[in-house]
Amino acid sequence: MNPSRAKTPRAWQRMLSGRRLDLLSPEPRDIEIEDIAHGLARVARWNGQTKGDHAFSVAQHSLVVTDIFEALWPASTSNERLAALLHDAPEYVIGDLISPFKTAIGLDYKAFELNLLDAIHRRFGVGQLSVAAATAIKDADTVAAYYEATLLAGFETAEAEEFFGIPKLPTELHSVLSVLHPVSAKDAQTQFLLRFEKLSPH
């Protein structure tokens, strides 16, 4: 092949909304919540290795994390709760790589992910988070992982406690999470959008 005619590798993705998102230099104007909800509802957590008739989606996980975050931090603001809902939003285009694989890939992947998350935050007006709020979101993410691991992903309780710790939640929320089960992509997408509308400042 003539080098002068070689095509530049494509680094953008066409969305169902018609937007074209440049993954290397994402612009907030090219990000739509409908695309995020659609994508996250169809990305499986745990590489799809979960029980149930449906995959346990990142959209449903994001809702669970937001519920846990609100329970752990009842004085949190709508901005902070929106950040919790969107904490895995970049996965609508880059997928949900399991933590061991992210570690193997290294810092470049994390920087890429954070760059896209920053564009998403700017698009939807998510303000700067305090260290405490960011830590609380991570804690909620870890608690969610414990329930997902033990109820859906085949982990023994002792094994999950080793990796995720022992969760401490209000009794009512614990009862709800104890019967956690995957919902359909359509339902997860709808619920994600409804929660976004509730928390969004726009």
Side-chain angles (χ1 to χ4, degrees), residues 158-188:
E159 186 179 28
E161 289 177 357
E162 177 184 352
F163 289 106
F164 309 115
I166 302 174
K168 297 179 181 179
L169 291 178
T171 301
E172 183 178 353
L173 181 56
H174 170 74
S175 298
V176 171
L177 293 179
S178 293
V179 292
L180 184 66
H181 64 278
V183 301
S184 69
K186 180 180 179 181
D187 286 346

PDB file of all heavy atoms in Angstrom, residues 158-188:
ATOM      1  N   ALA A 158     -17.002 -14.613  52.212  1.00  0.00           N
ATOM      2  CA  ALA A 158     -15.660 -14.330  52.734  1.00  0.00           C
ATOM      3  C   ALA A 158     -14.754 -13.747  51.656  1.00  0.00           C
ATOM      4  O   ALA A 158     -13.949 -12.841  51.920  1.00  0.00           O
ATOM      5  CB  ALA A 158     -15.045 -15.605  53.307  1.00  0.00           C
ATOM      6  N   GLU A 159     -14.896 -14.241  50.442  1.00  0.00           N
ATOM      7  CA  GLU A 159     -14.096 -13.751  49.331  1.00  0.00           C
ATOM      8  C   GLU A 159     -14.455 -12.299  49.012  1.00  0.00           C
ATOM      9  O   GLU A 159     -13.570 -11.458  48.789  1.00  0.00           O
ATOM     10  CB  GLU A 159     -14.349 -14.640  48.106  1.00  0.00           C
ATOM     11  CG  GLU A 159     -13.471 -14.339  46.905  1.00  0.00           C
ATOM     12  CD  GLU A 159     -13.769 -15.271  45.756  1.00  0.00           C
ATOM     13  OE1 GLU A 159     -14.931 -15.758  45.638  1.00  0.00           O
ATOM     14  OE2 GLU A 159     -12.860 -15.498  44.952  1.00  0.00           O
ATOM     15  N   ALA A 160     -15.753 -11.996  49.007  1.00  0.00           N
ATOM     16  CA  ALA A 160     -16.190 -10.629  48.731  1.00  0.00           C
ATOM     17  C   ALA A 160     -15.740  -9.679  49.830  1.00  0.00           C
ATOM     18  O   ALA A 160     -15.330  -8.543  49.549  1.00  0.00           O
ATOM     19  CB  ALA A 160     -17.710 -10.585  48.587  1.00  0.00           C
ATOM     20  N   GLU A 161     -15.808 -10.133  51.077  1.00  0.00           N
ATOM     21  CA  GLU A 161     -15.367  -9.286  52.182  1.00  0.00           C
ATOM     22  C   GLU A 161     -13.883  -8.973  52.080  1.00  0.00           C
ATOM     23  O   GLU A 161     -13.433  -7.876  52.431  1.00  0.00           O
ATOM     24  CB  GLU A 161     -15.676  -9.978  53.514  1.00  0.00           C
ATOM     25  CG  GLU A 161     -17.164 -10.030  53.834  1.00  0.00           C
ATOM     26  CD  GLU A 161     -17.458 -10.789  55.116  1.00  0.00           C
ATOM     27  OE1 GLU A 161     -16.498 -11.332  55.717  1.00  0.00           O
ATOM     28  OE2 GLU A 161     -18.640 -10.831  55.516  1.00  0.00           O
ATOM     29  N   GLU A 162     -13.099  -9.933  51.587  1.00  0.00           N
ATOM     30  CA  GLU A 162     -11.663  -9.716  51.421  1.00  0.00           C
ATOM     31  C   GLU A 162     -11.373  -8.599  50.426  1.00  0.00           C
ATOM     32  O   GLU A 162     -10.493  -7.773  50.641  1.00  0.00           O
ATOM     33  CB  GLU A 162     -10.994 -11.018  50.960  1.00  0.00           C
ATOM     34  CG  GLU A 162      -9.505 -10.882  50.690  1.00  0.00           C
ATOM     35  CD  GLU A 162      -8.893 -12.161  50.140  1.00  0.00           C
ATOM     36  OE1 GLU A 162      -9.588 -13.207  50.107  1.00  0.00           O
ATOM     37  OE2 GLU A 162      -7.707 -12.110  49.715  1.00  0.00           O
ATOM     38  N   PHE A 163     -12.127  -8.566  49.347  1.00  0.00           N
ATOM     39  CA  PHE A 163     -11.875  -7.584  48.292  1.00  0.00           C
ATOM     40  C   PHE A 163     -12.627  -6.270  48.483  1.00  0.00           C
ATOM     41  O   PHE A 163     -12.129  -5.206  48.100  1.00  0.00           O
ATOM     42  CB  PHE A 163     -12.228  -8.179  46.923  1.00  0.00           C
ATOM     43  CG  PHE A 163     -11.287  -9.242  46.455  1.00  0.00           C
ATOM     44  CD1 PHE A 163     -11.659 -10.569  46.477  1.00  0.00           C
ATOM     45  CD2 PHE A 163     -10.012  -8.918  46.021  1.00  0.00           C
ATOM     46  CE1 PHE A 163     -10.786 -11.562  46.054  1.00  0.00           C
ATOM     47  CE2 PHE A 163      -9.136  -9.896  45.598  1.00  0.00           C
ATOM     48  CZ  PHE A 163      -9.514 -11.225  45.623  1.00  0.00           C
ATOM     49  N   PHE A 164     -13.835  -6.340  49.053  1.00  0.00           N
ATOM     50  CA  PHE A 164     -14.691  -5.157  49.109  1.00  0.00           C
ATOM     51  C   PHE A 164     -15.040  -4.697  50.520  1.00  0.00           C
ATOM     52  O   PHE A 164     -15.681  -3.663  50.686  1.00  0.00           O
ATOM     53  CB  PHE A 164     -15.986  -5.420  48.328  1.00  0.00           C
ATOM     54  CG  PHE A 164     -15.763  -5.949  46.943  1.00  0.00           C
ATOM     55  CD1 PHE A 164     -16.180  -7.221  46.591  1.00  0.00           C
ATOM     56  CD2 PHE A 164     -15.111  -5.175  45.995  1.00  0.00           C
ATOM     57  CE1 PHE A 164     -15.961  -7.717  45.313  1.00  0.00           C
ATOM     58  CE2 PHE A 164     -14.885  -5.665  44.709  1.00  0.00           C
ATOM     59  CZ  PHE A 164     -15.307  -6.937  44.369  1.00  0.00           C
ATOM     60  N   GLY A 165     -14.622  -5.455  51.526  1.00  0.00           N
ATOM     61  CA  GLY A 165     -14.948  -5.100  52.896  1.00  0.00           C
ATOM     62  C   GLY A 165     -16.354  -5.541  53.268  1.00  0.00           C
ATOM     63  O   GLY A 165     -17.093  -6.110  52.454  1.00  0.00           O
ATOM     64  N   ILE A 166     -16.733  -5.271  54.517  1.00  0.00           N
ATOM     65  CA  ILE A 166     -18.065  -5.612  55.009  1.00  0.00           C
ATOM     66  C   ILE A 166     -18.932  -4.357  54.962  1.00  0.00           C
ATOM     67  O   ILE A 166     -18.646  -3.378  55.650  1.00  0.00           O
ATOM     68  CB  ILE A 166     -17.998  -6.145  56.449  1.00  0.00           C
ATOM     69  CG1 ILE A 166     -17.088  -7.379  56.515  1.00  0.00           C
ATOM     70  CG2 ILE A 166     -19.396  -6.471  56.972  1.00  0.00           C
ATOM     71  CD1 ILE A 166     -16.858  -7.885  57.915  1.00  0.00           C
ATOM     72  N   PRO A 167     -19.963  -4.356  54.139  1.00  0.00           N
ATOM     73  CA  PRO A 167     -20.774  -3.138  53.994  1.00  0.00           C
ATOM     74  C   PRO A 167     -21.601  -2.832  55.237  1.00  0.00           C
ATOM     75  O   PRO A 167     -22.076  -3.738  55.919  1.00  0.00           O
ATOM     76  CB  PRO A 167     -21.676  -3.459  52.801  1.00  0.00           C
ATOM     77  CG  PRO A 167     -21.788  -4.947  52.810  1.00  0.00           C
ATOM     78  CD  PRO A 167     -20.460  -5.456  53.300  1.00  0.00           C
ATOM     79  N   LYS A 168     -21.745  -1.549  55.508  1.00  0.00           N
ATOM     80  CA  LYS A 168     -22.576  -1.102  56.625  1.00  0.00           C
ATOM     81  C   LYS A 168     -23.582  -0.101  56.080  1.00  0.00           C
ATOM     82  O   LYS A 168     -23.232   1.042  55.762  1.00  0.00           O
ATOM     83  CB  LYS A 168     -21.705  -0.466  57.717  1.00  0.00           C
ATOM     84  CG  LYS A 168     -20.718  -1.438  58.348  1.00  0.00           C
ATOM     85  CD  LYS A 168     -19.864  -0.753  59.402  1.00  0.00           C
ATOM     86  CE  LYS A 168     -18.866  -1.732  60.021  1.00  0.00           C
ATOM     87  NZ  LYS A 168     -18.013  -1.077  61.040  1.00  0.00           N
ATOM     88  N   LEU A 169     -24.811  -0.550  55.958  1.00  0.00           N
ATOM     89  CA  LEU A 169     -25.869   0.263  55.366  1.00  0.00           C
ATOM     90  C   LEU A 169     -27.087   0.278  56.278  1.00  0.00           C
ATOM     91  O   LEU A 169     -27.273  -0.623  57.098  1.00  0.00           O
ATOM     92  CB  LEU A 169     -26.278  -0.308  54.000  1.00  0.00           C
ATOM     93  CG  LEU A 169     -25.284  -0.201  52.852  1.00  0.00           C
ATOM     94  CD1 LEU A 169     -25.867  -0.869  51.618  1.00  0.00           C
ATOM     95  CD2 LEU A 169     -24.941   1.245  52.544  1.00  0.00           C
ATOM     96  N   PRO A 170     -27.949   1.294  56.109  1.00  0.00           N
ATOM     97  CA  PRO A 170     -29.236   1.277  56.823  1.00  0.00           C
ATOM     98  C   PRO A 170     -29.997   0.004  56.498  1.00  0.00           C
ATOM     99  O   PRO A 170     -29.927  -0.519  55.379  1.00  0.00           O
ATOM    100  CB  PRO A 170     -29.948   2.516  56.276  1.00  0.00           C
ATOM    101  CG  PRO A 170     -28.851   3.414  55.816  1.00  0.00           C
ATOM    102  CD  PRO A 170     -27.775   2.508  55.301  1.00  0.00           C
ATOM    103  N   THR A 171     -30.718  -0.504  57.470  1.00  0.00           N
ATOM    104  CA  THR A 171     -31.420  -1.782  57.323  1.00  0.00           C
ATOM    105  C   THR A 171     -32.337  -1.801  56.106  1.00  0.00           C
ATOM    106  O   THR A 171     -32.393  -2.795  55.370  1.00  0.00           O
ATOM    107  CB  THR A 171     -32.245  -2.083  58.589  1.00  0.00           C
ATOM    108  OG1 THR A 171     -31.360  -2.119  59.715  1.00  0.00           O
ATOM    109  CG2 THR A 171     -32.958  -3.423  58.466  1.00  0.00           C
ATOM    110  N   GLU A 172     -33.040  -0.702  55.870  1.00  0.00           N
ATOM    111  CA  GLU A 172     -33.991  -0.657  54.750  1.00  0.00           C
ATOM    112  C   GLU A 172     -33.284  -0.840  53.416  1.00  0.00           C
ATOM    113  O   GLU A 172     -33.732  -1.621  52.565  1.00  0.00           O
ATOM    114  CB  GLU A 172     -34.751   0.674  54.761  1.00  0.00           C
ATOM    115  CG  GLU A 172     -35.806   0.771  53.663  1.00  0.00           C
ATOM    116  CD  GLU A 172     -36.582   2.070  53.720  1.00  0.00           C
ATOM    117  OE1 GLU A 172     -36.404   2.841  54.696  1.00  0.00           O
ATOM    118  OE2 GLU A 172     -37.366   2.320  52.796  1.00  0.00           O
ATOM    119  N   LEU A 173     -32.161  -0.139  53.202  1.00  0.00           N
ATOM    120  CA  LEU A 173     -31.441  -0.261  51.938  1.00  0.00           C
ATOM    121  C   LEU A 173     -30.799  -1.637  51.824  1.00  0.00           C
ATOM    122  O   LEU A 173     -30.780  -2.231  50.741  1.00  0.00           O
ATOM    123  CB  LEU A 173     -30.386   0.839  51.810  1.00  0.00           C
ATOM    124  CG  LEU A 173     -29.575   0.840  50.501  1.00  0.00           C
ATOM    125  CD1 LEU A 173     -30.505   0.916  49.287  1.00  0.00           C
ATOM    126  CD2 LEU A 173     -28.602   2.011  50.486  1.00  0.00           C
ATOM    127  N   HIS A 174     -30.276  -2.154  52.928  1.00  0.00           N
ATOM    128  CA  HIS A 174     -29.702  -3.508  52.905  1.00  0.00           C
ATOM    129  C   HIS A 174     -30.749  -4.518  52.443  1.00  0.00           C
ATOM    130  O   HIS A 174     -30.458  -5.419  51.640  1.00  0.00           O
ATOM    131  CB  HIS A 174     -29.181  -3.889  54.289  1.00  0.00           C
ATOM    132  CG  HIS A 174     -28.798  -5.331  54.404  1.00  0.00           C
ATOM    133  ND1 HIS A 174     -27.652  -5.849  53.842  1.00  0.00           N
ATOM    134  CD2 HIS A 174     -29.441  -6.388  54.993  1.00  0.00           C
ATOM    135  CE1 HIS A 174     -27.591  -7.145  54.083  1.00  0.00           C
ATOM    136  NE2 HIS A 174     -28.662  -7.487  54.791  1.00  0.00           N
ATOM    137  N   SER A 175     -31.970  -4.365  52.927  1.00  0.00           N
ATOM    138  CA  SER A 175     -33.046  -5.283  52.547  1.00  0.00           C
ATOM    139  C   SER A 175     -33.334  -5.213  51.055  1.00  0.00           C
ATOM    140  O   SER A 175     -33.569  -6.230  50.398  1.00  0.00           O
ATOM    141  CB  SER A 175     -34.312  -4.972  53.346  1.00  0.00           C
ATOM    142  OG  SER A 175     -34.089  -5.153  54.730  1.00  0.00           O
ATOM    143  N   VAL A 176     -33.304  -4.003  50.519  1.00  0.00           N
ATOM    144  CA  VAL A 176     -33.547  -3.815  49.083  1.00  0.00           C
ATOM    145  C   VAL A 176     -32.422  -4.453  48.266  1.00  0.00           C
ATOM    146  O   VAL A 176     -32.665  -5.188  47.292  1.00  0.00           O
ATOM    147  CB  VAL A 176     -33.674  -2.317  48.745  1.00  0.00           C
ATOM    148  CG1 VAL A 176     -33.703  -2.107  47.233  1.00  0.00           C
ATOM    149  CG2 VAL A 176     -34.923  -1.722  49.382  1.00  0.00           C
ATOM    150  N   LEU A 177     -31.183  -4.196  48.664  1.00  0.00           N
ATOM    151  CA  LEU A 177     -30.036  -4.707  47.908  1.00  0.00           C
ATOM    152  C   LEU A 177     -29.877  -6.212  48.050  1.00  0.00           C
ATOM    153  O   LEU A 177     -29.284  -6.864  47.190  1.00  0.00           O
ATOM    154  CB  LEU A 177     -28.763  -4.003  48.360  1.00  0.00           C
ATOM    155  CG  LEU A 177     -28.671  -2.511  48.026  1.00  0.00           C
ATOM    156  CD1 LEU A 177     -27.371  -1.920  48.556  1.00  0.00           C
ATOM    157  CD2 LEU A 177     -28.785  -2.270  46.526  1.00  0.00           C
ATOM    158  N   SER A 178     -30.404  -6.778  49.121  1.00  0.00           N
ATOM    159  CA  SER A 178     -30.271  -8.214  49.349  1.00  0.00           C
ATOM    160  C   SER A 178     -31.053  -9.049  48.348  1.00  0.00           C
ATOM    161  O   SER A 178     -30.848 -10.273  48.255  1.00  0.00           O
ATOM    162  CB  SER A 178     -30.734  -8.568  50.772  1.00  0.00           C
ATOM    163  OG  SER A 178     -29.841  -8.016  51.726  1.00  0.00           O
ATOM    164  N   VAL A 179     -31.962  -8.417  47.624  1.00  0.00           N
ATOM    165  CA  VAL A 179     -32.711  -9.122  46.573  1.00  0.00           C
ATOM    166  C   VAL A 179     -32.395  -8.506  45.202  1.00  0.00           C
ATOM    167  O   VAL A 179     -33.205  -8.559  44.282  1.00  0.00           O
ATOM    168  CB  VAL A 179     -34.234  -9.085  46.855  1.00  0.00           C
ATOM    169  CG1 VAL A 179     -34.558  -9.916  48.070  1.00  0.00           C
ATOM    170  CG2 VAL A 179     -34.734  -7.650  47.043  1.00  0.00           C
ATOM    171  N   LEU A 180     -31.199  -7.980  45.089  1.00  0.00           N
ATOM    172  CA  LEU A 180     -30.772  -7.344  43.840  1.00  0.00           C
ATOM    173  C   LEU A 180     -30.832  -8.339  42.683  1.00  0.00           C
ATOM    174  O   LEU A 180     -30.358  -9.472  42.794  1.00  0.00           O
ATOM    175  CB  LEU A 180     -29.339  -6.826  44.005  1.00  0.00           C
ATOM    176  CG  LEU A 180     -28.728  -6.047  42.838  1.00  0.00           C
ATOM    177  CD1 LEU A 180     -29.465  -4.730  42.636  1.00  0.00           C
ATOM    178  CD2 LEU A 180     -27.239  -5.777  43.129  1.00  0.00           C
ATOM    179  N   HIS A 181     -31.414  -7.919  41.593  1.00  0.00           N
ATOM    180  CA  HIS A 181     -31.468  -8.772  40.404  1.00  0.00           C
ATOM    181  C   HIS A 181     -31.406  -7.888  39.160  1.00  0.00           C
ATOM    182  O   HIS A 181     -31.834  -6.729  39.187  1.00  0.00           O
ATOM    183  CB  HIS A 181     -32.752  -9.609  40.387  1.00  0.00           C
ATOM    184  CG  HIS A 181     -33.999  -8.782  40.288  1.00  0.00           C
ATOM    185  ND1 HIS A 181     -34.578  -8.177  41.387  1.00  0.00           N
ATOM    186  CD2 HIS A 181     -34.778  -8.437  39.215  1.00  0.00           C
ATOM    187  CE1 HIS A 181     -35.657  -7.507  41.010  1.00  0.00           C
ATOM    188  NE2 HIS A 181     -35.795  -7.643  39.698  1.00  0.00           N
ATOM    189  N   PRO A 182     -30.854  -8.409  38.083  1.00  0.00           N
ATOM    190  CA  PRO A 182     -30.735  -7.612  36.857  1.00  0.00           C
ATOM    191  C   PRO A 182     -32.097  -7.314  36.232  1.00  0.00           C
ATOM    192  O   PRO A 182     -32.993  -8.157  36.238  1.00  0.00           O
ATOM    193  CB  PRO A 182     -29.904  -8.497  35.925  1.00  0.00           C
ATOM    194  CG  PRO A 182     -29.252  -9.501  36.820  1.00  0.00           C
ATOM    195  CD  PRO A 182     -30.218  -9.728  37.940  1.00  0.00           C
ATOM    196  N   VAL A 183     -32.215  -6.112  35.699  1.00  0.00           N
ATOM    197  CA  VAL A 183     -33.415  -5.745  34.947  1.00  0.00           C
ATOM    198  C   VAL A 183     -33.044  -5.652  33.470  1.00  0.00           C
ATOM    199  O   VAL A 183     -31.873  -5.672  33.102  1.00  0.00           O
ATOM    200  CB  VAL A 183     -34.010  -4.407  35.445  1.00  0.00           C
ATOM    201  CG1 VAL A 183     -34.374  -4.506  36.920  1.00  0.00           C
ATOM    202  CG2 VAL A 183     -33.045  -3.245  35.204  1.00  0.00           C
ATOM    203  N   SER A 184     -34.031  -5.541  32.628  1.00  0.00           N
ATOM    204  CA  SER A 184     -33.778  -5.475  31.192  1.00  0.00           C
ATOM    205  C   SER A 184     -33.061  -4.181  30.824  1.00  0.00           C
ATOM    206  O   SER A 184     -33.099  -3.189  31.574  1.00  0.00           O
ATOM    207  CB  SER A 184     -35.095  -5.555  30.414  1.00  0.00           C
ATOM    208  OG  SER A 184     -35.860  -4.367  30.608  1.00  0.00           O
ATOM    209  N   ALA A 185     -32.409  -4.187  29.679  1.00  0.00           N
ATOM    210  CA  ALA A 185     -31.730  -2.983  29.199  1.00  0.00           C
ATOM    211  C   ALA A 185     -32.711  -1.826  29.062  1.00  0.00           C
ATOM    212  O   ALA A 185     -32.397  -0.690  29.409  1.00  0.00           O
ATOM    213  CB  ALA A 185     -31.043  -3.265  27.857  1.00  0.00           C
ATOM    214  N   LYS A 186     -33.905  -2.111  28.573  1.00  0.00           N
ATOM    215  CA  LYS A 186     -34.912  -1.064  28.403  1.00  0.00           C
ATOM    216  C   LYS A 186     -35.275  -0.428  29.736  1.00  0.00           C
ATOM    217  O   LYS A 186     -35.343   0.806  29.858  1.00  0.00           O
ATOM    218  CB  LYS A 186     -36.165  -1.643  27.744  1.00  0.00           C
ATOM    219  CG  LYS A 186     -37.273  -0.624  27.514  1.00  0.00           C
ATOM    220  CD  LYS A 186     -38.485  -1.262  26.846  1.00  0.00           C
ATOM    221  CE  LYS A 186     -39.596  -0.252  26.634  1.00  0.00           C
ATOM    222  NZ  LYS A 186     -40.794  -0.894  25.998  1.00  0.00           N
ATOM    223  N   ASP A 187     -35.496  -1.260  30.755  1.00  0.00           N
ATOM    224  CA  ASP A 187     -35.862  -0.733  32.065  1.00  0.00           C
ATOM    225  C   ASP A 187     -34.702   0.040  32.692  1.00  0.00           C
ATOM    226  O   ASP A 187     -34.909   1.099  33.301  1.00  0.00           O
ATOM    227  CB  ASP A 187     -36.290  -1.867  32.994  1.00  0.00           C
ATOM    228  CG  ASP A 187     -37.670  -2.417  32.655  1.00  0.00           C
ATOM    229  OD1 ASP A 187     -38.389  -1.755  31.891  1.00  0.00           O
ATOM    230  OD2 ASP A 187     -38.018  -3.502  33.155  1.00  0.00           O
ATOM    231  N   ALA A 188     -33.497  -0.486  32.564  1.00  0.00           N
ATOM    232  CA  ALA A 188     -32.330   0.196  33.128  1.00  0.00           C
ATOM    233  C   ALA A 188     -32.132   1.560  32.464  1.00  0.00           C
ATOM    234  O   ALA A 188     -31.834   2.555  33.136  1.00  0.00           O
ATOM    235  CB  ALA A 188     -31.085  -0.666  32.952  1.00  0.00           C
TER     236      ALA A 188
END
